[in-house]
Amino acid sequence: MITPVGGDDVSGRGSASGSKPSDISSSDSELDASKPTPDGGVSQPVEPTKSSEDSIGGAALVRTETAASNGGFSRDITTRQMFLMAAGGSIGAGLFVGSGQALHVGGPASLVINFAICGFMVSMTMASLGEMATSYPVAGAFYDYTVRFVGETAGFAMGWNFVFNWLIVLPFELTTIGAQLEYWDPTLRPWWFIIPFMVVLALVSLKGAKWFGEVEHWLGLCKAVSLMTFICFAIALTTTGAASDSRGALGARYWHRPGAFLNGFQGFLAVFRVAGMSYGGTEMLGLTAAECRRPHRVMPMATKIVFFRLIVFYVGGLLMLGFLVPADNPNLSAVGHGAKYSPFVLAANLANQPALANFFNAMIVTALVSMANAAVFASSRALQALCSKGMGPRTLGEMRRGIPVYALAVAFALALLAFVTAAPGGGEIFDWLLSLSATSNYMTWAAICYSHVRMRKAMAVQRWDRGQIIWRSPFGVWGSYVGLAVCGCGLAAQVVVAAWPLGRGYDAKAVTRDVIGIPFILAIFGGYAIHQKWRKGERRLMVPLAEIDLATGFRNKEYARVADEEAAKEKELVLDVLGYQKEWSLIKKAGFHAKQQVNLGWVYTLRKRLGKKE
């Protein structure tokens, strides 16, 4: 715990504030060697509990691999898996398919500028989330912080916003997978593949976080490789051209004709919607903190990798896309006409590279499967955490062998919305789901930023020493303020584009599609506020800064130090079992570690089983 300046008692602060404490084990408050008491003294150390074998100065320490402090989940996601999830996670239909619509509507300059603005905002948002997740690693992700630092009503609204977002993303990705498979055979129908993909996703989900992390690790690697291949391919076509491409070196010709900006200010605002959808899922790294072995080390690393990914893969990839594909190409998808082939595949076809086009399309299908897998994981975990806190049906909060089976059932039931594509005009579901998801994402990021601002303000009011925070956002509180401003612009763009339609007259259906997400969330917020007022007599929408609970479950630098020592001892033990020797040469050590990564841990598991039989 951070010791407040002046020795004020903060250990019980927030208990009567109406702010619902995070879902952390009671032993979390025992992680510190001592606690301040009202008289300025120091309480006696607590006795170790059954779940803790080590301690800090006699105080019980919850082992990093237990599920005591993370809502019942097992900590199965490793640093290796988180590295690739941060590098390639959340790259899906928004980037690979929706970017074609954005290029067609706004032009290459609007595409790059909008994605750069949103990417910078998401980087700052992730830094804010990383700071909170290292200090309070909990099941429930960011909306748990909204409950704690803002208020229960806001947390309820943002929690259900997050759940609905991911329940929407799942059929969205399944719909887009079918559209990409039609590239190889136009006689195929997208809905033919929905059930087979759902079965595969269900098998992975029922295996738990370890399988999810492993699948995302390798699928993330595929996405990273495909995007790097595309960027190199685009640089070659732009600078020197290809023998198969009669256009020669392309240079910046498509930025001059048809132009860098299309449809003026309307086109620029329309791209905000696609950017909001494309970056969605980045915040899911905060959700996985509950299932990481050392969140205080993994989250800062993931935050830094995300920044690299946004700059190179998103901004860099789309910049090169604008050099290869003219914005007026008729094969680019337009608003209201559903999903089409990926513009990345189109770029290869325009260069007469069919083999490369097939490779890109295969990698894009892989990326869409990855995002569908992430949608199942995020929606089920978020729904389980929300319901376990009494903010939804209790049954959906139940666990079976560490897996939220009832929440998974809800996710797969709503995934059947993808079959709407089989109905006449069903292709428009792509645009509806795109718009709903973009609105939800902007609200999610705004909630993260505002929660971070409130946490820092509460620390200032309660005179806490911020120097004990394990990892602080490099952008500070101002990064969260900038994030709030950009999110506000993104939501405003949705409304403006709806009221000022692009290239057509007033369309009630289009207006409804573009703005329905905003009143939906406001209705949830207002409904729960009324419920709180009439059922519990709670009239406050926000918890006063002086009453925010900063003590429960806080991880300080001393906790990080001891947890790192535990992890180092555990690693030494595992290496010893595997036959590792410190006297080996550097080359032999490198080969040993490379082999263990390829083995994926199954060798160690097999050895343990054989040892038991013997």
Side-chain angles (χ1 to χ4, degrees):
M1 180 188 304
I2 296 177
T3 304
V5 179
D8 297 335
D9 176 24
V10 298
S11 59
R13 227 170 239 176
S15 59
S17 65
S19 175
K20 200 166 187 176
S22 303
D23 187 18
I24 302 177
S25 165
S26 59
S27 59
D28 288 336
S29 59
E30 303 165 356
L31 293 176
D32 308 289
S34 59
K35 299 177 184 178
T37 58
D39 60 0
V42 178
S43 62
Q44 294 297 319
V46 297
E47 293 298 325
T49 63
K50 293 182 180 180
S51 62
S52 56
E53 299 176 6
D54 293 300
S55 62
I56 303 176
L61 171 67
V62 177
R63 291 182 61 83
T64 56
E65 69 271 15
T66 65
S69 62
N70 61 333
F73 295 107
S74 57
R75 297 190 184 275
D76 287 331
I77 298 179
T78 65
T79 302
R80 171 180 61 84
Q81 294 167 344
M82 278 292 289
F83 181 89
L84 262 298
M85 287 168 61
S90 80
I91 298 176
L95 175 64
F96 283 125
V97 181
S99 59
Q101 183 184 109
L103 177 62
H104 184 71
V105 170
S110 292
L111 180 68
V112 173
I113 293 172
N114 269 284
F115 271 79
I117 293 173
C118 288
F120 188 57
M121 177 270 294
V122 171
S123 297
M124 292 186 288
T125 302
M126 280 302 301
S128 300
L129 179 60
E131 179 179 318
M132 291 188 291
T134 53
S135 300
Y136 302 94
V138 295
F142 79 93
Y143 57 81
D144 199 87
Y145 305 132
T146 307
V147 171
R148 180 192 291 247
F149 301 125
V150 181
E152 189 171 341
T153 302
F156 178 87
M158 289 301 101
W160 280 106
N161 169 65
F162 186 77
V163 170
F164 283 132
N165 177 39
W166 282 104
L167 291 175
I168 287 170
V169 167
L170 181 54
F172 176 84
E173 299 292 337
L174 292 173
T175 299
T176 313
I177 288 173
Q180 302 314 300
L181 291 175
E182 284 185 292
Y183 170 78
W184 286 304
D185 187 353
T187 62
L188 297 176
R189 293 295 176 262
W191 57 88
W192 292 354
F193 305 95
I194 293 174
I195 294 298
F197 278 112
M198 287 178 61
V199 170
V200 173
L201 294 173
L203 292 175
V204 173
S205 302
L206 292 174
K207 287 293 185 177
K210 189 173 184 178
W211 274 56
F212 166 77
E214 201 60 57
V215 169
E216 284 302 296
H217 170 83
W218 293 106
L219 294 183
L221 181 62
C222 290
K223 288 187 277 187
V225 169
S226 62
L227 282 170
M228 290 304 298
T229 302
F230 175 80
I231 291 173
C232 294
F233 164 71
I235 292 174
L237 287 184
T238 304
T239 55
T240 61
S244 61
D245 192 353
S246 59
R247 297 174 297 175
L250 296 176
R253 69 176 65 175
Y254 296 137
W255 286 60
H256 297 287
R257 192 176 64 240
F261 295 93
L262 298 182
N263 297 308
F265 188 59
Q266 288 173 284
F268 182 84
L269 292 179
V271 179
F272 257 113
R273 183 181 67 161
V274 180
M277 166 60 194
S278 300
Y279 286 121
T282 308
E283 73 285 344
M284 198 183 73
L285 292 173
L287 186 65
T288 58
E291 302 191 47
C292 291
R293 294 174 184 173
R294 290 197 297 161
H296 64 281
R297 292 291 176 242
V298 172
M299 281 304 298
M301 176 203 69
T303 300
K304 297 170 185 175
I305 295 172
V306 163
F307 181 77
F308 168 82
R309 182 191 78 196
L310 299 183
I311 296 300
V312 176
F313 292 161
Y314 280 84
V315 179
L318 294 177
L319 174 66
M320 302 313 300
L321 179 66
F323 288 132
L324 301 190
V325 180
D328 58 354
N329 189 291
N331 290 314
L332 292 173
S333 60
V335 178
H337 293 82
K340 281 193 176 183
Y341 306 144
S342 168
F344 293 82
V345 175
L346 178 60
N349 281 327
L350 291 175
N352 294 316
Q353 295 283 342
L356 198 58
N358 287 326
F359 168 76
F360 285 146
N361 202 61
M363 290 297 99
I364 289 167
V365 171
T366 300
L368 298 177
V369 172
S370 170
M371 274 302 290
N373 185 41
V376 173
F377 180 87
S379 61
S380 61
R381 264 56 178 182
L383 181 58
Q384 184 276 333
L386 200 62
C387 294
S388 68
K389 294 175 174 63
M391 294 185 175
R394 285 286 184 183
T395 302
L396 298 181
E398 295 180 8
M399 305 279 286
R400 292 291 183 272
R401 297 181 180 179
I403 298 173
V405 289
Y406 297 113
L408 281 173
V410 171
F412 282 108
L414 290 179
L416 297 176
L417 283 173
F419 279 106
V420 174
T421 55
E428 292 186 21
I429 189 177
F430 178 90
D431 300 295
W432 278 84
L433 298 179
L434 178 68
S435 182
L436 286 170
S437 183
T439 302
S440 177
N441 286 332
Y442 281 124
M443 289 190 169
T444 294
W445 298 326
I448 293 172
C449 292
Y450 191 56
S451 298
H452 180 244
V453 169
R454 293 272 298 177
M455 183 189 79
R456 286 291 195 94
K457 284 187 174 182
M459 286 185 170
V461 169
Q462 298 182 26
R463 302 176 66 194
W464 280 47
D465 177 16
R466 291 179 299 174
Q468 283 298 312
I469 298 176
I470 298 174
W471 185 80
R472 285 186 284 179
S473 167
F475 304 104
V477 179
W478 288 105
S480 294
Y481 281 120
V482 173
L484 283 169
V486 175
C487 288
C489 291
L491 292 172
Q494 296 268 98
V495 177
V496 172
V497 170
W500 188 22
L502 185 66
R504 61 182 186 275
Y506 179 82
D507 186 348
K509 183 171 68 173
V511 171
T512 304
R513 179 192 66 211
D514 290 338
V515 303
I516 191 173
I518 298 175
F520 175 73
I521 299 303
L522 293 178
I524 293 177
F525 181 88
Y528 194 74
I530 294 173
H531 171 270
Q532 289 290 89
K533 179 179 179 181
W534 292 105
R535 295 292 299 273
K536 298 183 178 180
E538 178 61 62
R539 297 176 178 271
R540 298 179 302 184
L541 295 180
M542 291 197 298
V543 183
L545 294 174
E547 298 179 7
I548 288 178
D549 178 13
L550 296 173
T552 304
F554 183 80
R555 308 298 201 235
N556 60 8
K557 290 184 176 179
E558 180 65 10
Y559 171 88
R561 181 188 65 79
V562 176
D564 288 340
E565 290 178 357
E566 276 192 342
K569 292 177 182 178
E570 181 182 349
K571 184 178 180 180
E572 287 183 6
L573 180 62
V574 172
L575 290 176
D576 184 62
V577 171
L578 294 173
Y580 178 84
Q581 297 180 21
K582 296 181 179 179
E583 296 78 15
W584 285 350
S585 65
L586 184 62
I587 296 177
K588 192 170 183 179
K589 289 179 179 179
F592 172 85
H593 288 296
K595 183 179 179 181
Q596 296 311 313
Q597 293 299 321
V598 174
N599 284 337
L600 306 179
W602 68 270
V603 173
Y604 178 52
T605 303
L606 182 60
R607 286 186 180 181
K608 287 199 300 184
R609 290 178 180 175
L610 291 175
K612 289 180 180 179
K613 291 181 180 180
E614 293 174 358

